[in-house]
Amino acid sequence: MGLFDRISRVVKSNLNDLVSKAEDPEKILEQALLEMQEDLIQLRQGVAQAIAAQKRTEQQYKQNQNESERWDRNARLALQKGDENLARQALERKKTYLETANTLKATLDGQVTQIDTLKRNLIALESKISEAKTKKDMLKARSSAAKAQEQLQGTVGRLGTSSAMAAFERMEEKVMMQEARAQAVGELAGNDLESQFAALEAGSDVDDELAALKAQMSLGPATSSNQPSLPQANEQSTAAKSPVVDAELEDLKKQLDQL
């Protein structure tokens, strides 16, 4: 393969790729419909021209046929008058017009067939254009829906990797952590409050007991006559000390001093 062939193929492939990417279905549909309508206009003009040519050919055919018939009558008249030479000239004229008429008749038959074909093609093209107009709106709607779906899918795909979405998720996690901390603090505060109430309940028992004890002590002097009294020491026994005991006590002190 030559170098120029390879270059040509690369250029064509790149151009085809660019054209494919640049094709917008909605715009292409509009352009295709415009081209079809232009073809319809040209076909209508062609049919009109063919019909006009058929009319002219038909007129020429009739004129030559009439002339052929007229010269046939002239030949008959010349023979009736006994002028055979004039009759011969009239028949030659008749032959010329008749040959022209026959040629025009063949042309006219071909034109009729061609016009019938053109008319059928015209009707078919009009039907296709009418169908294309109906499909165009439907295809444009489908194209718009497909574009919107593609754009939506692209947006959703980008959300998973975008920094904005990542920041949103981080903030969501942070809010959840804040809520968890607040709940934990609330539970701790509730437990501390319960412990305080428990301490108050325990302290109230001690206070009640202390109050009862105070009441008993305050009532002691008034009710001393009712309770048994302790034996009182004999003043005389405490005043008079035993000599033996004193001696023993002194001896003990000396021993301690010697140590």
Side-chain angles (χ1 to χ4, degrees):
M1 183 181 295
L3 178 61
F4 290 104
D5 293 336
R6 294 173 61 187
I7 293 174
S8 176
R9 182 166 297 174
V10 170
V11 172
K12 288 180 180 179
S13 63
N14 290 331
L15 288 176
N16 288 331
D17 183 62
L18 290 175
V19 171
S20 298
K21 292 180 179 179
E23 281 183 342
D24 187 352
E26 297 182 9
K27 295 180 180 179
I28 296 299
L29 287 171
E30 291 288 349
Q31 183 62 32
L33 187 59
L34 288 176
E35 292 177 358
M36 292 173 67
Q37 290 177 343
E38 291 177 357
D39 293 338
L40 178 63
I41 292 173
Q42 293 179 358
L43 184 57
R44 284 176 177 174
Q45 292 175 351
V47 172
Q49 292 174 0
I51 292 174
Q54 179 193 2
K55 297 292 185 182
R56 288 194 299 269
T57 302
E58 187 176 3
Q59 291 175 357
Q60 292 174 358
Y61 165 72
K62 290 180 178 180
Q63 289 176 357
N64 282 273
Q65 190 176 26
N66 292 334
E67 288 295 324
S68 174
E69 293 174 356
R70 187 172 69 83
W71 285 106
D72 182 74
R73 290 191 301 269
N74 289 337
R76 292 175 185 276
L77 181 59
L79 286 176
Q80 290 176 1
K81 297 298 182 179
D83 192 344
E84 185 177 347
N85 187 29
L86 185 60
R88 185 183 297 276
Q89 291 179 2
L91 290 174
E92 290 178 355
R93 291 288 185 89
K94 173 191 174 183
K95 181 182 179 182
T96 301
Y97 282 111
L98 184 60
E99 290 176 352
T100 304
N102 291 333
T103 303
L104 291 172
K105 181 64 170 64
T107 302
L108 184 61
D109 292 340
Q111 288 176 338
V112 171
T113 302
Q114 182 182 11
I115 290 172
D116 289 340
T117 303
L118 290 174
K119 286 182 178 179
R120 286 194 297 271
N121 292 335
L122 180 62
I123 293 172
L125 183 58
E126 288 176 345
S127 177
K128 287 182 179 180
I129 291 176
S130 178
E131 183 180 358
K133 287 181 179 179
T134 303
K135 284 185 177 181
K136 182 195 70 172
D137 297 333
M138 180 182 63
L139 291 174
K140 288 177 67 176
R142 290 171 58 184
S143 177
S144 299
K147 287 181 180 178
Q149 181 68 19
E150 184 179 3
Q151 185 177 3
L152 179 60
Q153 292 296 334
T155 302
V156 172
R158 289 193 300 271
L159 283 178
T161 57
S162 64
S163 58
M165 190 62 185
F168 187 88
E169 293 177 353
R170 288 198 306 272
M171 292 303 102
E172 182 180 8
E173 184 177 359
K174 186 174 182 179
V175 170
M176 293 174 64
M177 290 297 295
Q178 290 177 346
E179 291 175 347
R181 287 197 298 270
Q183 184 177 2
V185 171
E187 292 177 357
L188 291 176
N191 293 334
D192 184 65
L193 187 63
E194 291 179 359
S195 62
Q196 291 180 8
F197 276 106
L200 288 177
E201 291 177 357
S204 62
D205 295 338
V206 175
D207 292 339
D208 293 340
E209 186 176 358
L210 180 61
L213 183 60
K214 288 182 177 181
Q216 292 178 2
M217 293 179 67
S218 61
L219 293 176
T223 58
S224 60
S225 61
N226 295 330
Q227 294 181 355
S229 58
L230 293 175
Q232 295 181 356
N234 191 356
E235 295 179 356
Q236 294 178 357
S237 62
T238 56
K241 298 179 181 180
S242 174
V244 177
V245 173
D246 292 340
E248 186 176 0
L249 180 61
E250 290 294 332
D251 184 50
L252 182 62
K253 287 181 179 181
K254 291 178 179 180
Q255 291 177 1
L256 291 173
D257 293 336
Q258 291 176 358
L259 294 177

